[in-house]
Amino acid sequence: MTSQQPLPTDDFSIYYVLADCTDHCDTFPVKEADENQPHFQGVTGLRNLGNTCYMNAILQCLCSISPLRDYFLSGKYITALQKNCSEVATAFAYVMTDMWLGDSDCVSPEIFRSALGNLYPAFTKKTQQDAQEFLIYVLNELHESLKKYRQRRSHEKTSIPRCCRKVTANESSIITRLFEGQLSYSILCLKCENRTYKNEVFTILSLPIPSEYECSLQDCLQCFFQQDTLTWNNQIHCSFCETKQETAVRASISKAPKIMIFHLKRFDIWGVMKRKLRTDIHYPLTNLDLTPYICPIFRKHPKYNLCAVVNHFGDLDGGHYTAFCKNSVSQAW
């Protein structure tokens, strides 16, 4: 199923949420703004503070995610705040509150930018920044502000294959509970056929675009999860051969996050030149099925619904970010 909504096809990042985390799976057409309509909760603009479209687009998406919104608006975050690094999370809660509980059509994210800028000064400059990079920093700082420590289990069930064993972190937060997933890499030495496994935690999946003209999100996923052969300078050290060998590597998902974030790799190297791929990518609005890419022992048939898209218009020299978000109250994009 492909998107039939008039959303820009130049999508930079796509966010999906599990069906059981949303109110329902129906899709709704885009509606033009009407000055006579009442102000819907969450339908609030963010002031541009000088080339801050990258920040506003990411904040709009994060503030549209229902479980994250409920966590901050309920005040649950207060009891989890770390005393030595609470500024970013508190400022984020202020933005969330202004957007969802205020009566203004537009609010300023200046306090949040200032809090994050104290840690990363590049975001205080009035220059365009990368939206994906900004998102990574925001999620990391929210995790650091809200993390709690938990005890590791002293034993692990031996019935679970090594390829599917989950990395047990000793820190947990609303960010890890919602956004954190895990990849399992199967690594096969092509000389001795010794197989090893490597697990890796992720919050964003950066997907290649396999066509220059038109493809689907499933095409991007299949390209990411297909087997890859590493040769020449990319060879991996084999513990059995005790030297670097050509290897076959295949990834699978051993833990599917509740909220999946996709980053589409539109910037590519062509010879000695960098370019932007302007491929039209079709993606479903509901029921994105990741079952084919899940480690078999953990297959729970996860299906995701689209809740927000960040778009980048422009090229390597500059551009503009916009966001489309599904509002959980009005059910409109």
Side-chain angles (χ1 to χ4, degrees), residues 268-275:
D268 188 26
I269 298 178
W270 188 41
V272 295
M273 300 285 293
K274 284 187 176 181
R275 60 173 182 166

Side-chain angles (χ1 to χ4, degrees), residues 16-52:
Y16 277 82
V17 62
L18 277 170
D20 61 4
C21 289
T22 58
D23 297 327
H24 50 77
C25 302
D26 295 334
T27 59
F28 296 83
V30 177
K31 296 181 180 180
E32 296 293 334
D34 186 345
E35 293 182 356
N36 297 322
Q37 288 183 346
H39 176 75
F40 287 112
Q41 285 185 303
V43 184
T44 306
L46 292 171
R47 288 192 177 89
N48 194 316
L49 305 177
N51 285 321
T52 57

Side-chain angles (χ1 to χ4, degrees), residues 13 15 42-49 52-66 68-69 72 87-100 107-117 123 130-139 141-142 175 179 261 307-311 321-327:
S13 299
Y15 304 72
V43 184
T44 306
L46 292 171
R47 288 192 177 89
N48 194 316
L49 305 177
T52 57
C53 57
Y54 68 92
M55 176 180 68
N56 291 355
I58 293 299
L59 288 177
Q60 288 283 6
C61 291
L62 291 177
C63 290
S64 71
I65 297 173
S66 299
L68 188 66
R69 174 203 68 200
F72 278 94
E87 187 177 4
V88 172
T90 302
F92 182 80
Y94 289 162
V95 173
M96 187 82 78
T97 302
D98 287 343
M99 292 184 67
W100 281 95
V107 298
S108 173
E110 175 62 41
I111 295 177
F112 179 78
R113 186 181 73 157
S114 177
L116 195 67
F123 295 131
D130 184 80
Q132 186 210 10
E133 182 180 359
F134 178 78
L135 173 62
I136 292 172
Y137 285 125
V138 171
L139 293 180
E141 290 307 317
L142 289 178
I175 302 302
F179 297 96
I261 303 176
C307 65
V309 179
V310 173
N311 308 284
Y321 288 100
T322 63
F324 282 79
C325 308
K326 184 176 183 180
N327 183 270

Side-chain angles (χ1 to χ4, degrees), residues 234-291:
N234 295 321
Q235 291 180 354
I236 296 178
H237 184 273
C238 174
S239 58
F240 191 83
C241 297
E242 296 185 346
T243 184
K244 287 187 176 181
Q245 299 290 348
E246 293 185 355
T247 54
V249 179
R250 182 186 292 274
S252 62
I253 299 174
S254 53
K255 176 190 173 186
K258 291 184 177 180
I259 297 172
M260 180 72 77
I261 303 176
F262 295 123
H263 163 231
L264 301 176
K265 297 168 68 173
R266 288 198 174 273
F267 294 108
D268 188 26
I269 298 178
W270 188 41
V272 295
M273 300 285 293
K274 284 187 176 181
R275 60 173 182 166
K276 180 177 180 180
L277 297 175
R278 302 187 182 277
T279 309
D280 288 338
I281 300 177
H282 303 277
Y283 46 87
L285 297 182
T286 61
N287 296 322
L288 174 69
D289 189 1
L290 295 184
T291 301

